[in-house]
Amino acid sequence: MHGREKTKEGSSLVPGCTSMEEKPGQPAPEETPSNAPPGTVGRELFGYVGIEAVLDQMRIKTMKTGFEFNIMVVGQSGLGKSTMVNTLFKSKVSRKPTGPGYEERIPQTMQLQSVTHVIVEKGVKMKLTVTDTPGFGDQINNENCWDPIVKYIKEQYEKYLREEILISRKRKIPDTRVHSCVYFVPPTGHWLRPLDLEFMRRLSKIVNVVPVIAKADTLTLEERAEFKQRIQEDLKAHGINVYPQEDLDDDSDDRLLNKKIRDKIPFAVVGADTEHQVNGKRVLGRRTKWGIIEVENPAHCEFPLLRDLLIRSHLQDLKDVTHNVHYESYRVQRLNESNQLAPSPAAGLLGKHEMESNL
Ligand SMILES: Nc1nc2c(ncn2[C@@H]2O[C@H](COP(=O)(O)OP(=O)(O)O)[C@@H](O)[C@H]2O)c(=O)[nH]1
Ligand SMILES: [Mg+2]
């Protein structure tokens, strides 16, 4: 399975073509020896092909169509999920103007709700959607508290699948699939609770899970480091494969880069949607008795690492893994089920009741 298929400049586009240094415009040598090994014929015949021009075409196309990226936040009530959604949108991703000391009232989240912002930067358009989920953990019995979230994630795969199997497909299928699910761990400083382990175990099978230590300002730096290590051990011991999944690293470059990230996960984050004046600059932060904790300052917390991973360095990889691994296993499972249930695959897939009973 190829989770991380990336197009690297000048590399694997056409494996046999090594004649990039040949000058454009030069006539291709025609005299291909008849005993040439198979595979060299095309190269000899075409000479310089100019395949790297495809990179410009891809860039222009992406700029024109833009791209969609969907994040979901999950975790117990009161851990700062809704605040984090606001932090993401108010931080340098797309700074919304707010007055000093401005505080937006965050109502308690009662149902799944999505906020979408279209961000245009240097001509590239990104539609960023963050889905906020109601917290859990308030009930005495938390059994099956993951059901609505798992259902939502699968419903988005189902929507995509239904568009994909249509005979006349849309040129671009709207993508509401969750590309990354940020899981908030309470800052207890102890081990992971069985509830969090079970929740993440289930989620990690269907979506890219990025765990974070919530409200990290309530822990000292030493406590954060210790807790982080315990969580890493706990996840490993329980076989929970969070993002970036080790078994999906394609090559040594990937391994090197992702190892650094894996060592830092879960990020110890602080959320805030209030701006303060610090040294003449407006910063997003939380006022505490020790001063202002700046959420965008890497010396204060790891929110910048989370944002960079999601929106900068790993955005395309999160999308690739969602499509090639998570969506793919959903698709295979659904088509297998339909084949067993119905004489024709499409007939099975299009049965509404069947879909609902499967979610
Ligand atoms: N100390 C601290 N408090 C936070 C942080 N993020 C949010 N809060 C506060 O925690 C409370 C619950 O936040 P909310 O975003 O509604 O949590 P949700 O239930 O997970 O959506 C609010 O009073 C927030 O101001 C944080 O990083 N640190
Ligand atoms: Mg909330």
Side-chain angles (χ1 to χ4, degrees):
M1 225 182 312
H2 291 285
R4 305 212 154 91
E5 284 164 351
K6 281 174 223 151
T7 317
K8 290 187 182 115
E9 281 196 43
S11 70
S12 60
L13 281 172
V14 175
C17 190
T18 49
S19 54
M20 289 297 192
E21 282 108 65
E22 282 177 41
K23 297 215 168 51
Q26 270 189 352
E30 291 282 325
E31 65 286 2
T32 307
S34 55
N35 58 350
T40 57
V41 175
R43 194 191 327 163
E44 302 277 324
L45 196 64
F46 292 115
Y48 178 80
V49 183
I51 291 161
E52 78 268 21
V54 82
L55 295 174
D56 284 333
Q57 293 164 28
M58 285 157 81
R59 197 172 54 83
I60 292 166
K61 197 161 177 209
T62 310
M63 281 174 76
K64 270 196 197 148
T65 47
F67 52 93
E68 292 162 306
F69 189 63
N70 308 315
I71 301 172
M72 184 184 218
V73 292
V74 175
Q76 194 184 309
S77 312
L79 288 181
K81 295 182 297 298
S82 301
T83 309
M84 189 54 69
V85 174
N86 287 351
T87 313
L88 260 175
F89 283 125
K90 282 188 184 171
S91 76
K92 291 206 178 91
V93 177
S94 82
R95 172 90 65 186
K96 274 202 292 183
T98 54
Y102 164 90
E103 185 108 38
E104 212 168 285
R105 279 248 134 262
I106 305 169
Q108 207 189 353
T109 323
M110 302 309 281
Q111 57 196 30
L112 268 87
Q113 56 193 56
S114 300
V115 191
T116 299
H117 281 226
V118 175
I119 300 163
V120 184
E121 219 176 69
K122 294 191 182 146
V124 184
K125 197 165 84 181
M126 171 164 81
K127 195 170 142 207
L128 176 63
T129 301
V130 184
T131 303
D132 195 357
T133 58
F136 52 84
D138 302 336
Q139 299 79 18
I140 296 170
N141 182 2
N142 285 309
E143 216 176 296
N144 302 333
C145 58
W146 40 76
D147 277 355
I149 287 160
V150 168
K151 180 167 177 267
Y152 176 85
I153 294 170
K154 288 191 174 174
E155 270 169 3
Q156 311 317 306
Y157 291 146
E158 185 69 29
K159 264 194 211 165
Y160 198 88
L161 181 60
R162 277 162 187 269
E163 290 285 348
E164 214 179 41
I165 58 165
L166 290 180
I167 291 179
S168 73
R169 288 187 292 189
K170 291 196 178 103
R171 266 172 70 98
K172 192 168 172 283
I173 300 175
D175 192 1
T176 58
R177 295 169 300 178
V178 178
H179 300 116
S180 79
C181 175
V182 180
Y183 190 92
F184 286 65
V185 173
T188 58
H190 308 300
W191 298 91
L192 280 175
R193 304 169 309 169
L195 176 67
D196 292 315
L197 281 169
E198 184 58 19
F199 211 134
M200 278 194 272
R201 193 182 65 77
R202 285 170 185 262
L203 286 177
S204 62
K205 293 198 170 138
I206 55 169
V207 73
N208 293 317
V209 177
V210 179
V212 296
I213 299 173
K215 298 187 173 181
D217 53 314
T218 60
L219 300 173
T220 65
L221 290 181
E222 292 75 32
E223 285 168 337
R224 286 186 207 179
E226 259 176 51
F227 192 32
K228 186 178 281 208
Q229 197 163 356
R230 283 206 189 135
I231 295 174
Q232 285 170 0
E233 285 167 20
D234 242 357
L235 290 172
K236 208 172 228 161
H238 288 84
I240 299 169
N241 210 1
V242 297
Y243 184 83
Q245 301 88 341
E246 219 165 331
D247 54 338
L248 296 181
D249 288 346
D250 265 350
D251 50 36
S252 51
D253 285 354
D254 264 10
R255 251 191 305 282
L256 212 66
L257 170 69
N258 290 334
K259 162 115 190 24
K260 282 190 199 151
I261 295 166
R262 282 191 277 270
D263 287 345
K264 292 205 173 111
I265 276 180
F267 300 128
V269 298
V270 177
D273 48 12
T274 314
E275 287 194 348
H276 301 271
Q277 205 79 21
V278 174
N279 300 331
K281 276 195 286 182
R282 296 254 293 275
V283 298
L284 265 181
R286 303 193 75 83
R287 190 189 297 281
T288 70
K289 50 185 171 182
W290 300 281
I292 307 258
I293 298 180
E294 300 166 33
V295 297
E296 290 181 88
N297 184 338
H300 291 194
C301 79
E302 294 177 331
F303 168 74
L305 294 180
L306 173 69
R307 183 194 52 199
D308 285 357
L309 176 88
L310 295 179
I311 298 173
R312 295 193 183 131
S313 62
H314 282 62
L315 187 140
Q316 189 55 46
D317 189 57
L318 283 157
K319 289 182 65 145
D320 287 346
V321 175
T322 302
H323 185 75
N324 297 331
V325 180
H326 298 303
Y327 171 66
E328 188 59 18
S329 37
Y330 181 84
R331 196 182 70 89
V332 168
Q333 191 202 332
R334 287 288 288 127
L335 294 180
N336 276 337
E337 281 168 9
S338 323
N339 277 341
Q340 282 160 13
L341 287 169
S344 96
L349 262 170
L350 293 172
K352 186 166 183 298
H353 298 297
E354 190 218 335
M355 170 195 160
E356 280 165 357
S357 66
N358 270 299
L359 292 170

